Amino acid sequence: MAIPRRTLLKTAAAASLAAPSIASAQAGAGRVVVIGGGFAGATAARTLQTLEPKLAVTLVEPNRVYTSCPFSNGVLAALWEISQQRFGYDGVVKTGVTLAQTAATAIDAAAKTVTLADGNKLSYDRLVMSPGIDIDWTALPGYDEAAAQKMPHAWKAGDQTVLLRQQLQNMEDGGLVVMSSPANPFRCPPGPYERASLITYWLKIWKPKSKLLILDAKDTFSKQRLFQNAWAQLYPGMIEWVPLSKGGKVVSVDPATLTLTTEFGRHKAAVANVIPPQKAGAIAQQAGVADRSGWCPVEPVAFESTLRPGIHVLGDAAIMGGMPKSAFAANAQAKVCAAAIVDLLAGRKPVDPILINTCFSLVAADYGISIAGVYRPDKGQLVEVPGSGGASPLDVVGGYRGQEALYASSWFKTITAETFG
Ligand SMILES: Cc1cc2nc3c(=O)[nH]c(=O)nc-3n(C[C@H](O)[C@H](O)[C@H](O)COP(=O)(O)OP(=O)(O)OC[C@H]3O[C@@H](n4cnc5c(N)ncnc54)[C@H](O)[C@@H]3O)c2cc1C
């Protein structure tokens, strides 16, 4: 099934709104617990409750307010404030979901219970886990939680984003910003390159003698030619990208001297943004749904764990075949999973889904690019439909990039409204 890219882009935001149409489950619908109130979990909880009002849906989330990673690179570039990244859970509660404002600390898959940090225990018929990522603090010598206060990762938005922005603002003009980007898989494949672009957008205005160096553990990256063409056009001589094969992989860091060491040399930074290797949120390991890779294998229809039946894993924590770890994907998976759970609880077989993902990136305030794909189950995996999707064209005329920047901000408004109400 080939879907032309233009049609896909136009329908992407609308598609992300369209909850699957489904008949109501029979009475006595059951109890579903959702762990993690991010793009996947909050969407799953709201959709479950909307599709089947008789369900008892509980969302377990320790934070009163969610801080969004999408668009947080714009905070670094002072395009908007961190307050615009924040969303509460009133809209989730309004749909009838019960909010347990605490963390899940243990899962007993045999007894079908979740233990909470406040001492309570919840029973479930189906459990949804969407705890997002944790930084793998064992993966990069020198990089621990204390080091992250000197060399912020800012890969979980919030205090880390604010810290990195402050460091950039305090840096002298002429300073070197060094970023490190990890090997796949990791949260938001185009994210490091959007960040490099927007930091440089800001440097060009406020600290034009400064430069940005990206040390990469990969030889290729998402939307690479689009990014590199834009860098040559907008920021000539300001961004240097060092791939794996040229010695880009960072093997250790020293927070005391802000030094990043690669196999080929040492780089001393004025500001260092270390994006380290990641894994599924810790509760996934505790529940036994993560494998040795650190991520959670699932089947491609209801996203049920292949390791622990009855537990569904969504979003960044899961291994979703060809689908990238994005908020767009997390939201789409959550809607599919909610519909499948309603079916399963009513004794029906869930239908094979088709999912869309689109990742927008800003290269400057008024310069957007995107990549899109369509995915469906095939041989136990989610695979990209051949001929679907694609990236923004390399050569464009007129206001095309400006239009895509507008699409990006419309998408952000849509996805956050849909996730948090
Ligand atoms: C800089 C940056 C830019 C990005 N830009 C984009 C973009 O433009 N477009 C896009 O689509 N994606 C983007 N992403 C990716 C996006 O942020 C993630 O893919 C998305 O947040 C994944 O959603 P999730 O629900 O799986 O995890 P999260 O959104 O991280 O949510 C996980 C939730 O689980 C909670 N939790 C964790 N452990 C527990 C526990 N034990 N008990 C209870 N709750 C728990 C956490 O508090 C959190 O609220 C970006 C990411 C970054 C870092």
Side-chain angles (χ1 to χ4, degrees), residues 35-41 60-63 66 69-73 89 102-104 130-133 154-155 187-188 191 194-195 283 314-317 325-328 330 358-360 411:
I35 297 177
F39 284 99
V60 182
E61 166 61 55
N63 298 313
Y66 178 82
C69 283
F71 270 54
S72 66
N73 288 329
Y89 290 97
T102 182
S130 43
I133 59 151
W155 222 240
R187 159 174 284 181
C188 194
E194 179 189 66
R195 176 171 291 175
I283 191 69
L314 304 176
D316 286 0
K325 297 187 187 303
S326 77
F328 194 120
T358 305
C359 285
F360 294 99
W411 169 79

Side-chain angles (χ1 to χ4, degrees), residues 168 171-179 196 199-204 207-214 235-241 268-272:
L168 289 165
M171 186 182 80
E172 297 211 346
D173 189 8
L176 178 68
V177 180
V178 184
M179 287 179 61
I199 289 178
T200 310
Y201 168 83
W202 181 84
L203 291 174
K204 192 176 166 185
K207 320 240 173 186
K209 289 188 227 141
S210 301
K211 291 202 167 149
L212 185 141
L213 174 68
I214 309 167
Y235 314 121
M238 291 187 77
I239 299 180
E240 186 187 350
W241 173 66
K268 190 167 164 28
V271 171

